[in-house]
Amino acid sequence: MVKSGKSSKRLGTLAESPSHLMHRVLQLALDIYSEEAGADGPTQRQFAVMEAVAAKSGLTQTDLVRATGIDRSTLADLVSRMTTKGLLERERSTVDARAKAVRLSDEGKTLLEASRPKVEAADKRIMALLPKGKRDGFLELLADLANAADEAPDIAKAEAKALKKAAKEAKRADKLARKAVEGGGKKAAKAPKLKKAKAPVLEPVS
């Protein structure tokens, strides 16, 4: 929790940096998790993968990326190592023949069941660091940030698509404008010359 006063002044901009503060909080949370899970317990990411697979068996790695928020390359390596350890099993997906579905092995189920009380204890220790009146609000803010992270790739794609469309339309408009200018110049060049009017012949007055 950021406190005003001399400590904040000493920290300077770090005291007001969300990225720095979240990094510190994350490190604290992972330290508490490691203490509760123990050396033989799963890492926080391994636990997240097992919980996601337990909630819905047969998920593909793409599904797990969405469910856990772990980036694709890290998740692929994680699933591979967990499969080697015998915690996960992979089989051909019934939905997409090109993808592999992931499910918990018996060993994975046993480890997950044993880990849940430890993870719950870690979560309670983390929440106990906050006043009771702020805990629900804290969880809501974390959920909002997590949702924003989930939506970020889709938003980025939509923005890139809109920029591409705008650039294409601008290019088309520029092309039409150039054609209009060139066409106007040609018409002007082909315009007939006006004949010089002859002065009227005046007859002498008799």
Side-chain angles (χ1 to χ4, degrees):
M1 182 169 61
V2 181
K3 295 182 180 180
S4 58
K6 294 181 180 179
S7 60
S8 295
K9 290 180 181 178
R10 285 199 301 270
L11 286 171
T13 56
L14 291 180
E16 299 174 352
S17 170
S19 58
H20 172 71
L21 295 174
M22 285 194 288
H23 177 76
R24 291 185 62 188
V25 172
L26 174 61
Q27 190 58 58
L28 172 65
L30 291 176
D31 288 344
I32 292 175
Y33 176 92
S34 295
E35 290 173 9
E36 293 294 338
D40 297 329
T43 65
Q44 196 279 328
R45 284 179 171 175
Q46 287 175 338
F47 179 80
V49 169
M50 289 192 294
E51 275 288 27
V53 175
K56 188 175 181 181
S57 185
L59 295 178
T60 64
Q61 289 187 183
T62 299
D63 296 328
L64 285 173
V65 168
R66 297 194 192 99
T68 63
I70 302 172
D71 67 89
R72 188 175 297 275
S73 59
T74 301
L75 183 72
D77 180 60
L78 187 60
V79 169
S80 179
R81 285 187 283 111
M82 291 177 72
T83 302
T84 301
K85 286 183 178 181
L87 300 175
L88 297 176
E89 295 176 350
R90 286 187 286 190
E91 58 190 9
R92 188 70 63 184
S93 172
T94 56
V95 179
D96 185 352
R98 298 168 299 176
K100 289 288 186 70
V102 181
R103 64 185 181 87
L104 279 174
S105 64
D106 290 339
E107 186 176 346
K109 291 177 184 177
T110 300
L111 179 61
L112 178 60
E113 289 296 331
S115 300
R116 279 173 175 159
K118 298 176 182 178
V119 175
E120 185 178 350
D123 289 340
K124 286 181 178 179
R125 280 182 59 185
I126 294 169
M127 295 304 292
L129 297 173
L130 292 172
K132 288 184 178 180
K134 293 186 177 182
R135 293 174 189 175
D136 289 342
F138 175 68
L139 285 177
E140 288 177 5
L141 289 174
L142 289 179
D144 288 343
L145 287 172
N147 290 335
D150 291 340
E151 294 169 0
D154 292 335
I155 292 174
K157 285 181 182 177
E159 289 177 348
K161 186 177 180 180
L163 286 172
K164 187 176 180 181
K165 183 179 180 181
K168 189 175 180 181
E169 289 178 351
K171 188 176 180 181
R172 184 185 175 194
D174 184 58
K175 188 176 180 181
L176 290 173
R178 284 201 307 270
K179 277 187 175 182
V181 171
E182 291 171 0
K186 288 177 181 179
K187 286 179 182 179
K190 293 180 179 179
K193 292 183 179 180
L194 294 174
K195 291 182 179 180
K196 191 173 181 181
K198 292 181 180 181
V201 179
L202 298 177
E203 296 180 0
V205 179
S206 57

